[in-house]
Amino acid sequence: MLSEKLHAAINEQINAELWSAYLYLSMSLDAESKGYKGVANWFYVQWLEEQDHARIFMNYLNSRDAKVELKPLAEVRTQWDSVLEMFQETLKHEKVVTSLINNLAAIAAEDRDFASSNMLVWFVNEQVEEEENARDQIFAAEAVENDKYGMYQLDKELATRVYTQASPLATAE
Ligand code: FEO
């Protein structure tokens, strides 16, 4: 049985993942409104991935006979000054998410809840990737700052990103 502390923290995490999804959808729509269709695609894929993250936690609570309780989503920002700023905010946000995941891992370890610790390994690794992806995009956006043609090329490159379902979902249902 999950401890009450971990159950509550995972419900909070579901909200954080859905809020992340909402944030990236907002970035996608802002980019789209400015004509950056590739950037919009990159954040749209991010939106889908964050929903996967929330779903993995929902499935996990269900499988442990613990109720999922959805909470209201806080408002998100709707406008950014540049593509670079979007990726900078992405990295900043992902660092916060990393600390939330680490906190969940610490509670599971305290509880000696090995099933939860195992489930969280995927998220610990995923956060390394999330931060690296954001850093890569900051590097790319910095390289083309004030270079319209470069930005055009970067936008085309970001248009090629495709969504693939998170592996725990592909094997879960
Ligand atoms: Fe769900 Fe972007 O971490």
Side-chain angles (χ1 to χ4, degrees):
M1 196 177 154
L2 280 183
S3 71
E4 266 181 39
K5 189 176 175 183
L6 188 57
H7 182 183
I10 292 178
N11 265 323
E12 289 293 330
Q13 190 65 32
I14 289 168
N15 187 268
E17 299 292 348
L18 292 174
W19 190 84
S20 302
Y22 201 32
L23 174 69
Y24 296 136
L25 178 61
S26 188
M27 288 183 180
S28 177
L29 292 168
D30 190 37
E32 181 103 44
S33 77
K34 288 164 178 156
Y36 294 123
K37 291 188 175 170
V39 177
N41 172 65
W42 197 91
F43 281 108
Y44 191 85
V45 171
Q46 201 71 10
W47 178 61
L48 296 174
E49 286 193 354
E50 296 299 348
Q51 290 177 77
D52 278 3
H53 298 172
R55 187 70 229 178
I56 295 165
F57 281 117
M58 290 176 200
N59 286 352
Y60 183 69
L61 285 190
N62 288 334
S63 70
R64 295 293 305 270
D65 198 21
K67 192 169 181 341
V68 175
E69 288 187 351
L70 298 180
K71 299 181 191 323
L73 287 178
E75 206 174 326
V76 286
R77 185 174 167 183
T78 55
Q79 198 141 325
W80 286 265
D81 291 338
S82 65
V83 169
L84 175 60
E85 198 198 3
M86 284 183 188
F87 288 123
Q88 285 167 333
E89 186 169 340
T90 298
L91 179 59
K92 195 169 153 210
H93 177 62
E94 288 302 333
K95 286 182 175 176
V96 172
V97 176
T98 299
S99 69
L100 295 175
I101 296 290
N102 287 345
N103 186 48
L104 291 178
I107 299 170
E110 240 173 65
D111 290 349
R112 295 175 58 79
D113 181 342
F114 302 113
S116 296
S117 295
N118 270 351
M119 180 274 295
L120 287 163
V121 167
W122 186 86
F123 282 96
V124 169
N125 294 333
E126 175 69 9
Q127 282 312 118
V128 173
E129 209 180 286
E130 290 280 68
E131 289 190 24
E132 184 182 9
N133 284 345
R135 269 198 315 276
D136 287 349
Q137 299 315 327
I138 289 172
F139 184 75
E142 276 173 350
V144 298
E145 230 190 341
N146 308 318
D147 170 5
K148 278 199 168 181
Y149 185 68
M151 189 57 223
Y152 172 77
Q153 293 290 98
L154 176 61
D155 192 58
K156 277 210 170 314
E157 192 184 310
L158 296 180
T160 63
R161 184 182 189 195
V162 286
Y163 162 75
T164 40
Q165 191 177 46
S167 57
L169 290 180
T171 50
E173 298 175 44

